[in-house]
């Protein structure tokens, strides 16, 4: 007997994404138009993406992560955590990182129109809340602790801001 899906309303999420795939050959332009409407400052982060390949890849990987997250959950929990930290390296704060899932939910709702059922709405709302809980559990890398602050000050005192040893 196959294992029960990790997310109890997985069927509704899958059904809504299947309808999205039927109705919209490539949702990439719709998803990013909505993202940049909500967060115009994020557009500049994709400066390297001259042919939308990165945006497409990012969306495809996020859909795959959603399907794993609701189903077998073999890697999605870990991937969401590591990607969130990677994105902090791009200066994308984690509070913004998780909004991408919401933007996908909203785009799906718009494309499905009257076929966006209350079951779909409940399933997406609960899944987004679960992803937020996951994200909140990932240790922060962007917070400088007071302890780290004093170590940094000592190191700078000893080695100077450029890191050159005062003794050499
Ligand atoms: C609003 C939220 C987000 C923003 C602003 C954002 C921004 C970016 C940017 C700017 C890049 C490209 C960096 C480069 O130039 O190489 C990128 C790549 C990527 N992002 Fe995001 N991201 C967001 C959310 C997510 C989420 C939720 C996931 C998946 C869980 C994700 C997965 C990825 C992946 C896999 C790549 C690499 C794509 C490739 O290899 O071409 N991102 N993201």
């Amino acid at each position: 007997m196959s294992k029960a899906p990790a997310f109890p309303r997985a069927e509704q999420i899958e059904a809504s994404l299947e309808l999205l795939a039927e109705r919209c050959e490539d949702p990439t332009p719709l998803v990013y138009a909505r993202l940049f409407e909500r967060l115009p400052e994020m557009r500049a982060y994709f400066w390297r993406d001259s042919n939308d390949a990165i945006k497409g890849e990012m969306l495809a990987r996020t859909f795959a992560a959603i399907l794993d997250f609701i189903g077998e959950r073999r890697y999605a929990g870990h991937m969401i955590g590591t990607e969130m930290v990677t994105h902090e390296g791009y200066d994308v704060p984690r509070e913004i990182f998780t909004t991408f899932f919401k933007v996908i939910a909203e785009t799906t709702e718009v494309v499905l129109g009257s076929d966006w059922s209350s079951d779909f709405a409940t399933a997406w709302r609960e899944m987004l809340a679960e992803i937020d809980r996951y994200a909140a559990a990932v240790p922060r890398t962007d917070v400088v602790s007071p302890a780290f602050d004093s170590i940094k000050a000592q190191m700078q005192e000893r080695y100077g801001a450029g890191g050159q040893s005062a003794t050499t």
Side-chain angles (χ1 to χ4, degrees):
M1 194 181 70
S2 67
K3 228 174 70 182
F7 179 66
R9 297 179 186 273
E11 239 174 83
Q12 280 81 27
I13 303 284
E14 281 166 10
S16 64
L17 290 176
E18 272 160 27
L19 278 176
L20 175 69
E22 275 171 30
R23 307 263 166 94
C24 185
E25 200 177 328
D26 178 9
T28 309
L30 293 178
V31 168
Y32 286 92
R34 180 169 286 275
L35 176 66
F36 298 145
E37 195 187 306
R38 172 192 284 243
L39 298 161
E41 67 279 13
M42 287 297 120
R43 190 188 288 277
Y45 285 69
F46 292 90
W47 62 273
R48 285 188 338 124
D49 193 20
S50 51
N51 60 0
D52 292 339
I54 295 179
K55 291 188 206 69
E57 173 71 11
M58 177 173 128
L59 182 58
R61 301 269 295 276
T62 309
F63 277 133
I66 288 172
L67 291 173
D68 179 72
F69 186 80
I70 62 174
E72 294 185 81
R73 207 168 286 185
R74 283 176 300 119
Y75 73 90
H78 179 68
M79 183 239 190
I80 291 168
T82 51
E83 277 301 338
M84 203 160 68
V85 173
T86 303
H87 281 67
E88 283 170 342
Y90 304 149
D91 277 341
V92 176
R94 62 182 55 199
E95 292 75 16
I96 288 189
F97 178 81
T98 53
T99 63
F100 194 58
F101 297 102
K102 293 184 185 64
V103 168
I104 294 173
E106 290 166 6
T107 308
T108 307
E109 179 177 357
V110 169
V111 171
L112 270 52
S114 58
D115 291 326
W116 175 261
S117 65
S118 58
D119 281 353
F120 288 166
T122 307
W124 276 90
R125 194 174 52 249
E126 290 179 2
M127 183 195 75
L128 294 174
E130 198 164 327
I131 289 176
D132 282 346
R133 281 195 293 277
Y134 249 83
V138 176
R140 299 200 74 111
T141 61
D142 57 346
V143 177
V144 176
S145 71
F148 177 70
D149 243 1
S150 72
I151 294 168
K152 209 166 73 179
Q154 286 167 33
M155 300 310 267
Q156 280 178 343
E157 203 175 296
R158 189 176 306 164
Y159 298 109
Q164 290 300 318
S165 162
T167 54
T168 53

